[in-house]
Amino acid sequence: MSTATVYIVTPFRPGARGSLAPGEPRRCSSEAEAMRAADAMMLRARGVIVLRQQEDPQVDFFGEPSVIARRGDVPEIALD
């Protein structure tokens, strides 16, 4: 098994009735790239969450994601 660490950056924008709605997630190959993407997304979003995950799609392995950064307003459910 050849696992790789990937980073997923998801912006949150205003949704219906004051809620937050997730935007299009972006996959990054390094933590530095993910942090730059999060900073850029904050220009148009109310919040951003950055996750780290181990994966090996060849054997259908996707590890449990962990939150490594939050910026701005992020729904509580996204923090679990």
Side-chain angles (χ1 to χ4, degrees):
M1 184 162 71
S2 175
T3 62
T5 301
V6 295
Y7 300 86
I8 302 153
V9 185
T10 304
F12 289 88
R13 295 183 171 82
R17 298 185 184 101
S19 66
L20 293 172
E24 186 70 29
R26 178 176 169 188
R27 293 173 55 89
C28 300
S29 58
S30 73
E31 186 171 341
E33 178 187 358
M35 294 307 185
R36 286 191 301 271
D39 289 341
M41 287 179 183
M42 277 302 295
L43 297 174
R44 295 188 180 133
R46 289 206 18 217
V48 175
I49 191 167
V50 182
L51 305 171
R52 175 181 31 225
Q53 182 176 18
Q54 296 290 318
E55 67 177 39
D56 185 350
Q58 293 179 354
V59 294
D60 204 28
F61 169 77
F62 299 92
E64 188 70 30
S66 60
V67 176
I68 61 167
R70 297 184 301 260
R71 298 222 166 72
D73 294 328
V74 178
E76 289 297 320
I77 190 103
L79 304 178
D80 295 338

